[in-house]
Amino acid sequence: MVDETPDEHGEVTRLLHRASDGEAGALQQVLAMLHERLRRIARRQLAGEQAGHTLETDGLVHEAYLRLEGLDRIQWRDRRHLLAMAARTMRRVLIDYAEQRRAHKRGG
């Protein structure tokens, strides 16, 4: 597993602070820099799901991107904080997805 170099690690933190200050595009830059790491998190999250799950790795990462970008007034601390929030967000996406599938099966 190759993570970012110390310089990239510092750049992630700088960009997150800029995102917290409301700079447009800063969070998207961070998410792009951490894309492969987010894909690994998504694969781990999906590994715990039942067979036949239709949401795939890239779809889960994309949904997490959208939800993270929609967060207002969050003070990003660092890379670890973002990755923890991304993992939690992915889990929430999977829960919402399962609830929607159950509702659909019940005719709701």
Side-chain angles (χ1 to χ4, degrees):
M1 263 194 279
V2 176
D3 280 334
E4 17 355 309
T5 65
D7 286 344
E8 289 171 324
H9 188 76
E11 181 64 16
V12 166
T13 300
R14 281 189 290 281
L15 284 167
L16 286 172
H17 290 163
R18 288 169 38 192
S20 294
D21 291 339
E23 183 177 316
L27 183 60
Q28 291 84 0
Q29 285 182 275
V30 171
L31 294 173
M33 290 172 73
L34 298 176
H35 184 77
E36 282 308 311
R37 180 62 186 261
L38 294 169
R39 290 187 84 240
R40 286 195 303 266
I41 292 169
R43 278 193 296 273
R44 279 197 309 270
Q45 295 276 355
L46 287 166
E49 295 298 309
Q50 294 180 358
H53 200 282
T54 58
L55 192 59
E56 295 179 358
T57 302
D58 287 327
L60 182 54
V61 169
H62 181 72
E63 286 297 319
Y65 271 13
L66 294 176
R67 291 188 187 195
L68 289 169
E69 287 178 343
L71 294 176
D72 289 334
R73 297 186 176 143
I74 188 161
Q75 292 297 311
W76 297 107
R77 291 187 300 270
D78 55 23
R79 174 183 161 273
R80 181 176 291 167
H81 180 217
L82 174 75
L83 292 174
M85 287 295 295
R88 187 175 304 156
T89 300
M90 288 179 198
R91 187 72 203 136
R92 186 72 235 172
V93 167
L94 291 173
I95 290 167
D96 291 349
Y97 181 82
E99 288 173 352
Q100 288 173 357
R101 287 185 65 193
R102 279 195 301 274
H104 181 70
K105 285 183 180 179
R106 289 191 310 266

